[in-house]
Amino acid sequence: MTLAIDARGLVKRFEGKTAVNGVDLAVPEGMIYGVLGPNGAGKTTSLRMILGIIDPDEGTRTVLGNPRPLEVAHAIGYLPEERGLYQSMAVREMIAFMGALRGLPLDQGRRRADKLLTEYDLGDVGRKQIRTLSKGMAQTVQLLGTLVHDPKLIVLDEPFSGLDAINQGRLETLIRARRDAGATILFSTHVIAHAERLCSEISIIAGGKVRYAGSVDAARDRLPSRVVLRTRAKEGAWRADLPPDTTPVDGNWHFALPSTGIESVLQALITHGAGIENLTVERPGLHDAFIAIAGADAEAAMNMASAGDMA
Amino acid sequence: MMNLFTSALVIARRDYRATVMSRLFYVFMLFPLVLLIFGGIFGYVMASSKAEAPAYLAIIAEPDRAAQFEQSYAALHSKLSGENFEGVKIIAPLSNAAGQALAVLADTRQQVNAVLVDTGATPRLVGPSASVDRLRPGVLLALGNAGKEATPEMPLALTRTDPAGSGVASDRAGLGYGAAVFLFWLNMLLANMMLSNLVEEKSNKIMEVLIAALRVDAIFLGKLIAMVGTALTIVTAYVGLGTIGYLLFAPPELALPVPAIGWPLFIVLGYAYFIMNYMVVGGIFIGIGAQASSPREVQTISMPVTMAQMLVLLFASTAIKTHEGWQWWLGALFPPSSPLVMYNQAAISAKLWPHLLTLGWLMLCAALVIRFAAARFRKYVLKSGPAREKRRGLLRAQWTKRATTSR
Ligand SMILES: Nc1ncnc2c1ncn2[C@@H]1O[C@H](COP(=O)(O)OP(=O)(O)OP(=O)(O)O)[C@@H](O)[C@H]1O
Ligand SMILES: [Mg+2]
């Protein structure tokens, strides 16, 4: 398995404040890889270091086998967090220019721009000026410009923010299609649902450090399943049969699936006549894993800032 | 990987087209008109100050004879007051007086309009036609008086030194100074263009897209090339119009003196110095401008920048006027003023090699300035860290073949 990105021990300090504190990131080729983390976790800074936009204070990175990312710029596409286009440029010219930045001849870029726009049902905006587009459309145009030169490695910083639900879905489809065509995709997000649906592997960054790296499944498997129980009786001797971590939530009992299994608990409940109304065993979502891994503080901070983005 | 110049051209091409096709461009096209008016006023002031500058009639003769001549010439002056007399400069003769006379004429510092060589049997007045014809009667009278005997028939040989229609040295100095000022004003115009371009870039937040794809010095170089290209478009249009207008309508009295180096080279050098001047000065601006974190800051910066440019003009003028010594050398070597000083030199001296040397020096400086600006930008604006691979230098990049991986 070759690595499209191999970053080790990246450290970045801004005026004494450590933004990234020893991040390792190994992204295998041909994979959709997510970087999750709350606001200010150091996602953008890590991506910038990987792409060579800034150099790290410490650590090394190899991108597509090259320690100097700019030398393989032609094979990389990057959508920055702060979107930016030349307002007075025509859409297809802008896309072609973004290709030219990555070594794609302009005329070829224009042709591909037309094709991409048509595929994205934006065929009619090709000759319009960027400033006449809506924000979401402009963002889509920038995305197409990021992909126009058919990069082998696609890096997207918060690609879903600012898009409506329909366009988020289309973006997911687009990302999968690029993966199927052989590209490697690395994207950052603080919306867990996207990572859960798209990624085979993720890294969870919080406080400038990688707290977890691996598959989404393994992240969930780190946590025991959750049991949600509803009983007819509210009190009784059976209460002692529930595991000590049990908490009442909205008239239900929540507790982690005991390592010994659910049967012994069930038996005790039946024997003591708790009257089981409803019982579900839920596999933990990435969301729970995220909270457990990144810490509740981080999650609180994130919810506050990203409530608007959750479509 | 694209090499430095291919990368720079991608940026340059876009910027050039964007500028030339923008509405702002028409403002810039009109701006030179304003400059012409300014230039006119400036030229007028210059012309009046030039009139006060002393000009001399030199005499090459044995000290006694020369002193006699000077006396009678001065006496004549007092009698015929109102006439425009040159002061007399006495020069001790060397073995080759004729050659000496030409050398004196060619030397602008001496500010000599004509030379009277009085070492042999027949005195000889050497100089451009205009001066010779104007000075001849006075010189004849003075010579007669100097010989104590009023012999109006005294022979006076004439040597007219205007083969290529070359003007008087002081006229050339005027041309050289005008050329330097012209260069300066062009730069002012472009500095403003540069800064407004940076404002656009800042408000577009597009920098990150560029920086992720290309080296910062390639981006800066590309921006400079685009600006120079835009400027050359404007300048060529104006110079073309100006030349046609001049050829068609200018009265003969307005004839420009031929620069010492000849018109074709003078024009070529004009372009070359303009480009290099812009690369150096523009490089400094882009370096300063890129440090600003908002369009507002860029505008704030443009004020001191304009003042700094004025200082450079002042500095260059001083260098041009002193014309020798450390001030001149400093002006000729200091990159922002060097093109002005050396372009002035092209008007008054026919030597080509100093220009080639200067252009080489300026190229080196421009490369260093761009490198330096890019490094500062990376360090202080992007806050890039130190842990990076060694890069190839801007100067070496053009010789180095493409890097290992290429498209
Ligand atoms: N150029 C900079 N100068 C100073 N501090 C910076 C700079 N860039 C980032 N930081 C700081 O580094 C930390 C990490 O920022 P970064 O942008 O990498 O976070 P992030 O994970 O991308 O957050 P978000 O989800 O909000 O985009 C933050 O505390 C931020 O304030
Ligand atoms: Mg970010």
Side-chain angles (χ1 to χ4, degrees), chain A residues 12 14-15 48 52-57 68 70-71 73-74 78 80 82 84-87 89 93-94 97 100-103 106 110 142 149, chain B residues 1-2 10-11 13-14 17 200-201 204-206 208-215 378 382-391 403 405 407:
Chain A
K12 183 71 220 161
F14 292 115
E15 284 119 26
R48 283 183 174 158
I53 294 170
I54 54 177
D55 294 309
D57 292 336
R68 279 165 293 203
L70 278 184
E71 289 189 354
H74 61 85
Y78 171 54
E82 289 222 57
L85 298 170
Y86 288 112
Q87 295 299 316
M89 246 174 138
E93 289 298 323
M94 184 72 223
F97 170 68
L101 286 175
R102 305 278 183 174
L106 272 180
R110 287 192 195 99
Q142 184 162 4
H149 58 293
Chain B
M1 182 174 107
M2 295 189 284
V10 171
I11 300 284
R13 197 167 34 190
R14 193 217 74 90
R17 291 175 98 208
E200 199 207 351
E201 214 82 336
N204 272 335
K205 297 179 176 157
I206 199 149
E208 191 162 0
V209 173
L210 306 184
I211 295 164
L214 305 174
R215 291 170 43 176
R378 285 187 61 84
L382 300 177
K383 307 215 167 73
S384 189
R388 73 170 136 154
E389 299 288 318
K390 243 188 121 38
R391 284 151 192 275
T405 37
R407 222 170 196 304

Side-chain angles (χ1 to χ4, degrees), chain A:
Chain A
M1 182 181 69
T2 33
L3 292 177
I5 295 173
D6 186 6
R8 298 192 186 180
L10 296 180
V11 173
K12 183 71 220 161
R13 293 178 207 93
F14 292 115
E15 284 119 26
K17 184 183 168 297
T18 307
V20 173
N21 191 7
V23 160
D24 300 320
L25 209 62
V27 180
E29 268 182 11
M31 186 177 274
I32 302 178
Y33 196 104
V35 176
L36 273 72
N39 291 129
K43 301 183 293 294
T44 300
T45 309
S46 299
L47 295 186
R48 283 183 174 158
M49 283 191 281
I50 286 167
L51 290 166
I53 294 170
I54 54 177
D55 294 309
D57 292 336
E58 285 165 38
T60 58
R61 79 292 210 202
T62 311
V63 180
L64 299 175
N66 197 317
R68 279 165 293 203
L70 278 184
E71 289 189 354
V72 286
H74 61 85
I76 302 176
Y78 171 54
L79 178 73
E81 183 174 33
E82 289 222 57
R83 322 285 192 238
L85 298 170
Y86 288 112
Q87 295 299 316
S88 54
M89 246 174 138
V91 167
R92 71 197 288 265
E93 289 298 323
M94 184 72 223
I95 295 178
F97 170 68
M98 288 174 73
L101 286 175
R102 305 278 183 174
L104 182 74
L106 272 180
D107 48 345
Q108 216 173 321
R110 287 192 195 99
R111 256 178 282 133
R112 287 200 199 176
D114 292 338
K115 191 161 155 279
L116 284 170
L117 286 166
T118 315
E119 280 168 14
Y120 226 86
D121 298 330
L122 285 172
D124 52 332
V125 306
R127 275 154 219 281
K128 282 193 187 160
Q129 282 196 343
I130 302 279
R131 69 162 59 91
T132 66
L133 304 183
S134 78
K135 180 178 164 234
M137 277 158 91
Q139 189 167 326
T140 303
V141 167
Q142 184 162 4
L143 179 76
L144 298 181
T146 305
L147 303 177
V148 67
H149 58 293
D150 273 337
K152 273 178 27 197
L153 173 65
I154 301 168
V155 180
L156 311 169
D157 199 355
E158 309 274 3
F160 295 99
S161 77
L163 294 180
D164 64 23
I166 298 166
N167 278 304
Q168 290 190 3
R170 294 174 84 179
L171 178 53
E172 282 188 23
T173 313
L174 183 74
I175 289 176
R176 287 204 184 87
R178 288 282 162 165
R179 190 260 326 267
D180 294 343
T184 310
I185 295 105
L186 170 67
F187 74 93
S188 80
T189 185
H190 44 83
V191 182
I192 291 156
H194 297 298
E196 193 157 16
R197 280 203 293 275
L198 277 170
C199 301
S200 1
E201 287 201 20
I202 54 163
S203 275
I204 297 177
I205 297 183
K209 280 201 158 90
V210 176
R211 307 292 165 136
Y212 171 82
S215 71
V216 174
D217 279 343
R220 296 155 128 191
D221 290 344
R222 283 196 157 192
L223 293 183
S225 294
R226 303 289 299 175
V227 180
V228 179
L229 171 74
R230 195 177 188 94
T231 52
R232 244 186 319 274
K234 294 296 160 218
E235 287 298 330
W238 51 269
R239 279 291 303 271
D241 302 326
L242 297 179
D245 67 328
T246 303
T247 47
V249 180
D250 302 333
N252 293 332
W253 303 108
H254 287 212
F255 54 90
L257 186 69
S259 50
T260 50
I262 191 75
E263 271 105 0
S264 56
V265 180
L266 270 180
Q267 229 144 35
L269 288 174
I270 294 166
T271 318
H272 291 111
I276 299 168
E277 258 184 357
N278 186 22
L279 181 132
T280 50
V281 179
E282 287 172 357
R283 203 168 170 232
L286 186 56
H287 186 258
D288 304 288
F290 181 84
I291 296 167
I293 291 164
D297 293 351
E299 199 240 4
M302 188 184 73
N303 277 348
M304 231 166 42
S306 68
D309 283 333
M310 300 268 202

Side-chain angles (χ1 to χ4, degrees), chain B residues 141-222:
Chain B
L141 276 176
L143 274 176
N145 287 344
K148 301 272 182 203
E149 280 157 44
T151 40
E153 301 304 314
M154 181 107 186
L156 175 63
L158 301 178
T159 303
R160 294 164 191 276
T161 59
D162 32 15
S166 63
V168 194
S170 62
D171 282 350
R172 278 184 175 168
L175 175 71
Y177 193 64
V181 170
F182 179 66
L183 264 190
F184 170 77
W185 279 109
L186 274 177
N187 252 295
M188 286 286 273
L189 151 78
L190 290 167
N192 287 315
M193 268 167 69
M194 190 81 183
L195 288 172
S196 62
N197 177 279
L198 278 172
V199 171
E200 199 207 351
E201 214 82 336
K202 294 271 175 199
S203 45
N204 272 335
K205 297 179 176 157
I206 199 149
M207 253 326 204
E208 191 162 0
V209 173
L210 306 184
I211 295 164
L214 305 174
R215 291 170 43 176
V216 176
D217 44 14
I219 297 171
F220 284 4
L221 182 64

